[in-house]
């Protein structure tokens, strides 16, 4: 199969030195790309700004903003059989971009924001027979929100995790996740290394193909 995987945060620049972003380090997405390649699949990894080496056997495209990620996903999708959207896409971007560094004396006390497109929703019309997997990183009950997002984003599977726990989610090597499917089936996984969670995700995709 050919996997398309997104990873990391996006950065939404206000000027050349300032941006809005989030805590994603890209580890989960890079682990999925590595697991796909290790299982003998082709893999294109669309990575936001992260400091991680490209996994062996993976083709990588680097992007910065959500709009750039959307373009890269659209171009990679045609050749893909499965999309795994691990990226923590910034929901908002500053309305204006200043091409030179803003002077703090002249800076507005309020930064006007506009919504970024939802990448999964934007590409839903191009889905065809492809398998789409999303993530739901939540600070409350992860399954409740994940069930809503699974349907709203038209996914075949969503990986839910509680990012408020110190051993699960951002910037750690372990994750405790649940896979949710449109049929209502759920697979609860114990605390595992992200590489092992990634291998289970790849296996779940293979089982749906
Ligand atoms: O809505 P929320 O950001 O929690 O949804 C998470 C899922 O949606 C993830 O798979 C994420 O990569 C994807 N997403 C997206 N475009 C956005 C925001 C999130 O595709 N603008």
């Amino acid at each position: 199969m050919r996997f398309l995987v997104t990873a990391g945060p996006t950065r939404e620049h206000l000027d050349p030195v300032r941006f809005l972003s989030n805590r994603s380090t890209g580890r989960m997405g890079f682990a999925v790309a590595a697991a796909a390649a290790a299982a003998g699949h082709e893999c294109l990894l669309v990575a936001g700004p992260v400091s991680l080496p490209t996994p062996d056997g993976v083709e990588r495209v680097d992007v910065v903003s959500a709009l750039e990620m959307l373009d890269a996903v659209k171009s990679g999708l045609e050749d893909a059989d499965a999309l795994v959207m691990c990226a923590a896409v910034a929901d908002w971007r500053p309305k204006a971009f200043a091409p030179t560094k803003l002077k703090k004396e002249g800076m507005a006390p309020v930064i006007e924001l506009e919504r970024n497109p939802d990448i999964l929703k934007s590409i839903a019309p191009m889905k065809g027979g492809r398998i789409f997997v999303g993530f739901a990183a939540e600070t409350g009950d992860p399954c409740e929100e994940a069930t809503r997002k699974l349907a709203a984003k038209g996914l075949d599977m969503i990986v839910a995790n509680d990012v408020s726990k110190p051993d699960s989610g951002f910037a750690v090597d372990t994750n405790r996740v649940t896979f949710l499917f449109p049929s209502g089936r759920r697979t609860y996984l114990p605390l595992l290394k992200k590489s092992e969670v990634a291998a289970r995700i790849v296996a779940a995709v293979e089982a749906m193909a």
Side-chain angles (χ1 to χ4, degrees):
M1 293 177 71
R2 185 157 169 91
F3 279 67
L4 174 59
V5 179
T6 66
T10 64
R11 272 184 196 171
E12 311 300 327
H13 274 273
L14 180 63
D15 69 14
V17 297
R18 302 182 179 98
F19 54 82
L20 292 177
S21 193
N22 58 62
R23 292 183 58 207
S24 171
T25 60
R27 285 189 217 183
M28 192 63 245
F30 274 61
V32 172
H41 302 292
E42 285 180 51
C43 182
L44 174 64
L45 173 62
V46 175
V50 296
S51 46
L52 290 173
T54 309
D56 283 346
V58 170
E59 194 188 329
R60 171 173 176 178
V61 173
D62 286 313
V63 297
V64 176
S65 67
L67 291 176
E68 286 176 20
M69 185 171 280
L70 174 62
D71 281 347
V73 168
K74 276 184 179 165
S75 8
L77 199 60
E78 200 165 329
D79 295 333
D81 305 302
L83 166 68
V84 184
M85 272 295 300
C86 293
V89 184
D91 293 309
W92 302 89
R93 65 173 180 271
K95 208 163 185 175
F97 171 72
T100 53
K101 188 183 171 193
L102 291 162
K103 301 275 175 240
K104 53 180 153 296
E105 292 78 18
M107 262 178 87
V110 174
I111 299 167
E112 247 195 291
L113 301 178
E114 63 189 345
R115 275 303 281 268
N116 269 328
D118 187 294
I119 296 176
L120 282 169
K121 284 186 185 167
S122 308
I123 59 169
M126 300 164 65
K127 184 173 185 293
R130 297 176 183 84
I131 296 159
F132 278 11
V133 176
F135 272 71
E138 309 295 340
T139 52
D141 173 4
C143 288
E144 192 182 317
E145 268 300 286
T147 304
R148 194 181 59 72
K149 288 175 186 173
L150 180 70
K153 299 188 189 229
L155 303 174
D156 300 292
M157 176 176 120
I158 194 157
V159 180
N161 70 312
D162 181 350
V163 293
S164 62
K165 304 265 167 63
D167 58 2
S168 176
F170 293 124
V172 288
D173 279 323
T174 50
N175 220 353
R176 186 185 293 101
V177 304
T178 305
F179 296 166
L180 295 93
F181 300 90
S183 63
R185 181 164 66 91
R186 288 182 183 183
T187 306
Y188 294 90
L189 300 184
L191 186 70
L192 293 170
K193 287 177 76 174
K194 283 186 175 170
S195 54
E196 181 58 27
V197 173
R200 306 275 186 113
I201 291 169
V202 169
V205 170
E206 289 168 347
M208 286 187 277

